[in-house]
Amino acid sequence: MAKNESLEDRKKRAKNILRKLRKEYADADCALEHKSAFELLISTILSAQSTDKTVNTVTPVLFEQYPTADALAVSDQKEIEKLIKPTGFFRQKAKNIIGTSRELVDRFDGEVPDDMDKLLTLPGVARKTANVVLGTWFNKNAGVTVDTHVGRIAERLKLCWNHKNSKDARKIEQDLMEVIPRKEWTFFSHAIIWHGRRVCSARKPDCAGCSLRSECPSADLPN
């Protein structure tokens, strides 16, 4: 894992990382609880600057009262704000999920489109959200979902050599897409998120107990 590691060497190391992730997190999946593409889309919008755990405490009541895009599209924003307040930034999020629901009704017959470009036209939807929906619900590997865990661990693993120390999620995604096989993009995202929560935390990574230690240039280094 030399500093001037070639792209091919990085791909080989990424392959080893994937093999270890498959062994440790074979069942890795999206932690947001959902029963439909619509529920997953709305939940993912709500998860911005929040935790999946918090979102999962809010959405059962939200979806009980507003189970479809049609229902949420005609809802009162103040009522939605009250329901989603624990997720933070609730005013903007309420505006976004209502706006997205209206777009779904007006342009897509109330259904969530399985297309990246169309998803990106919806209020509150960026690539992270679109990747979650496409990969998790539609089984389409359109990209790598880059949240705080993925961005942090990709840097620690030195898989983002082209954009070292970058905080730009799109640049991080581009680098990861270059070294991770497309068929593994969705699994890699879920597995790394699980790894970030269980082992490679932001403040105190458990390097001694990390299955990726042999492939990590940052193992045991000061944070």
Side-chain angles (χ1 to χ4, degrees):
M1 292 179 283
K3 188 173 182 179
N4 59 347
E5 183 181 36
S6 69
L7 176 59
E8 287 307 311
D9 286 341
R10 203 156 21 112
K11 286 182 177 180
K12 290 178 182 178
R13 191 158 56 85
K15 184 177 180 179
N16 290 334
I17 289 169
L18 277 165
R19 178 173 53 79
K20 293 174 182 291
L21 290 173
R22 280 285 181 190
K23 183 176 180 180
E24 187 164 358
Y25 306 110
D27 299 324
D29 201 354
C30 182
L32 292 169
E33 297 172 359
H34 60 279
K35 299 177 182 177
S36 66
F38 172 70
E39 289 189 1
L40 179 58
L41 174 60
I42 298 303
S43 295
T44 309
I45 294 174
L46 294 178
S47 71
Q49 305 298 315
S50 186
T51 65
D52 292 345
K53 183 178 180 180
T54 298
V55 174
N56 288 339
T57 64
V58 165
T59 51
V61 177
L62 175 67
F63 294 139
E64 181 179 6
Q65 296 185 32
Y66 306 97
T68 64
D70 296 81
L72 193 53
V74 295
S75 64
D76 178 76
Q77 182 168 328
K78 292 296 183 182
E79 292 301 316
I80 300 301
E81 289 176 5
K82 293 178 184 177
L83 292 176
I84 68 171
K85 189 173 183 178
T87 69
F89 301 95
F90 57 92
R91 292 186 181 87
Q92 185 60 48
K93 288 181 180 180
K95 181 180 179 180
N96 284 340
I97 64 175
I98 292 173
T100 282
S101 297
R102 288 173 178 168
E103 290 289 301
L104 292 178
V105 172
D106 292 344
R107 297 169 52 211
F108 304 111
D109 296 321
E111 300 295 326
V112 176
D114 61 349
D115 177 85
M116 173 66 76
D117 291 336
K118 291 177 181 178
L119 284 169
L120 292 178
T121 66
L122 301 173
V125 176
R127 282 192 63 89
K128 172 191 168 184
T129 296
N131 281 331
V132 170
V133 173
L134 291 172
T136 303
W137 187 263
F138 293 108
N139 296 314
K140 288 188 172 184
N141 286 296
V144 177
T145 300
V146 178
D147 73 344
T148 54
H149 295 293
V150 175
R152 178 180 73 251
I153 297 174
E155 167 57 25
R156 286 178 177 171
L157 290 171
K158 305 306 177 187
L159 293 178
C160 296
W161 209 261
N162 291 334
H163 302 101
K164 187 178 180 182
N165 298 322
S166 174
K167 302 300 181 182
D168 187 322
R170 185 67 183 104
K171 291 180 178 179
I172 294 172
E173 182 185 9
Q174 288 173 345
D175 281 358
L176 292 175
M177 289 165 68
E178 191 174 15
V179 296
I180 304 296
R182 181 166 190 153
K183 65 180 181 179
E184 301 283 8
W185 287 350
T186 298
F187 168 77
F188 176 83
S189 302
H190 291 321
I192 287 292
I193 290 170
W194 281 29
H195 190 67
R197 289 173 178 156
R198 301 178 183 186
V199 180
C200 195
S201 63
R203 295 184 179 180
K204 193 176 181 180
D206 180 16
C207 293
C210 180
S211 62
L212 306 182
R213 184 177 180 178
S214 63
E215 304 297 337
C216 183
S218 304
D220 301 314
L221 294 178
N223 293 298

